[in-house]
Amino acid sequence: MSAAVPIAGNRVIIVGGASLVGSATAAELLDAGAAEVVLFDNFSMGSEAAIAHIRDNPRLKTVRGDVMRLPDLLRAMEGCHGALLLAAYMTLNMDRDPWGGLDVNIRGVQNALEAARANGVRKVVFASSNAVYGYGPGVKGELVESTPFHSVGAPPAAILYGATKIIGEQLCRDYKRRFGLDYVVLRYSTVYGERQHYRAANALYIIETWDKVKKGERPQVFGDGSETKHFVYVGDLARANRMAFESPATDVAVNTSGPKPVTTLELVRMVTRLAGSDIEPEFVGDTPGKVRLTSGGAFRIAHEEAAAAIGWTPLVGMEEGLARLMAWIESNEGRTS
C-alpha cells in the first residue's frame, strides 16, 4: 500500500496549528482541496492573529487542546488521514522553561503519535529541525542527513532542544517499526516570513534588525559579521509539508532549507536596504545571558535529499522572502507574538 496521502478530499490535522508554519501550511492544504483542515492548539504560544487570514474558511476547524492531554488528541484526530506535528517549545522557550519544553517536545510527540495510531491516521509528518546537528565548534561545512550531533560549547537550551527533536524522530521510527505508521521527518531550517513571531532566536534577529533600522538606530552585527545562518521561507516550508504527505516516501528524514546560506552581515545589509536606509551597522560582542546559536564556521544545510524523497526544492530566495515579510509588517500594525 502506498504511503502517499493526497490532500484533495482528505482530512488533515495540524498539531500546533495556530503558528507561523501551521497557518501557512493550513492555507496551502486548503488551496490543495483538503476536505477539512483541523488546527489543534492550546494557544499558549500560537495566536488567533496567526490564523486570522484563514479563519473564515468553512473547511477550517479550530480545536483548543493540549498535547499533554492524550484524550484531547484522540478526539481531535478522529477521521483524519494525515497529521502534521508542529507543537514544540523552541530554544528561547526551552531556556526559560526546560521542564515544560521536555514534556511538550517528548511526551507531547508520543501522545500525538499514539492518537494517530489509535485513529488509523495514514501518515504523520513530523517537524524536526537542523538543531539535530547541534551547535558550537563542530557545526560547519556541509550539513547532510548523516551529520552527527555536536554539543560542545553550545548553550544548554539549544542542546536540549536539539536532543528533543532527535528523540521525536526516533519515536516516529519506533511507531513505524511497531505499528506500521508511515511518516516523513522534515528537518526545518530557521523559518521566517509573514506572521513572523518572536520565539526563534535566529529569526528574531531579522525582526530586531528591522525594528532598529526603522527607528533610525544602527543595527547590530555580532563579531565580524561572517557568522552563517541558513533560513527557509515559510511558504516554501508549507509546500514541503504538503509534498511530504502526497509523496510515497516513508521512514525518511530530510533537510528543508532555503536556496543558500547567508552571513549575518549580508542579512543585516539586506534588511537595512529593504527598510529604505543606508545606516551602517554596529559591530558588537555577545550580550551576557542572551541565547545565541552559533556554529564553528561557515555551513550549508543541504536540501538535495528532500528533492529525491518528496520532490521538493526551495523556490524563494532570502531577499525576496525578506521583502515579503517586511511588506507584511508594514501593512499590519500588530504581529503574532
Side-chain angles (χ1 to χ4, degrees), residues 42-54:
N42 68 357
F43 290 89
S44 64
M45 297 180 194
S47 70
E48 295 284 355
I51 59 174
H53 63 301
I54 53 174

Side-chain angles (χ1 to χ4, degrees), residues 70 73-74 77 110-121 175:
L70 180 57
L73 285 161
L74 285 166
M77 283 198 198
Q110 197 167 22
N111 283 341
L113 289 169
E114 180 58 20
R117 181 203 66 76
N119 277 295
V121 171
Y175 265 75

Side-chain angles (χ1 to χ4, degrees), residues 147-288:
T147 298
F149 185 60
H150 295 276
S151 61
V152 175
I159 298 307
L160 286 171
Y161 172 67
T164 65
K165 286 301 183 182
I166 290 172
I167 292 169
E169 290 189 10
Q170 298 311 310
L171 287 170
C172 290
R173 287 183 66 206
D174 196 48
Y175 265 75
K176 171 66 174 172
R177 180 177 66 85
R178 290 175 185 270
F179 309 114
L181 179 60
D182 287 318
Y183 76 92
V184 170
V185 166
L186 300 181
R187 293 175 177 169
Y188 296 177
S189 293
T190 299
V191 192
Y192 73 101
E194 297 90 333
R195 292 169 293 281
Q196 182 69 58
H197 53 67
Y198 281 72
R199 296 193 305 276
N202 285 332
L204 179 60
Y205 190 53
I206 296 173
I207 299 291
E208 287 178 335
T209 299
W210 173 264
D211 287 346
K212 279 184 174 293
V213 173
K214 294 305 280 187
K215 290 177 190 171
E217 300 173 6
R218 294 173 68 188
Q220 293 185 331
V221 175
F222 295 100
D224 62 2
S226 64
E227 193 175 286
T228 306
K229 308 290 181 192
H230 204 158
F231 293 86
V232 63
Y233 176 65
V234 68
D236 276 342
L237 203 51
R239 195 167 43 83
N241 291 331
R242 173 181 59 77
M243 294 173 78
F245 282 117
E246 296 191 322
S247 111
T250 185
D251 206 13
V252 293
V254 295
N255 294 331
T256 47
S257 57
K260 62 180 183 179
V262 63
T263 67
T264 51
L265 182 57
E266 288 170 337
L267 178 63
V268 166
R269 291 207 185 283
M270 275 187 209
V271 173
T272 302
R273 188 164 60 249
L274 289 165
S277 174
D278 58 3
I279 193 168
E280 283 296 311
E282 175 189 10
F283 294 85
V284 299
D286 279 340
T287 304

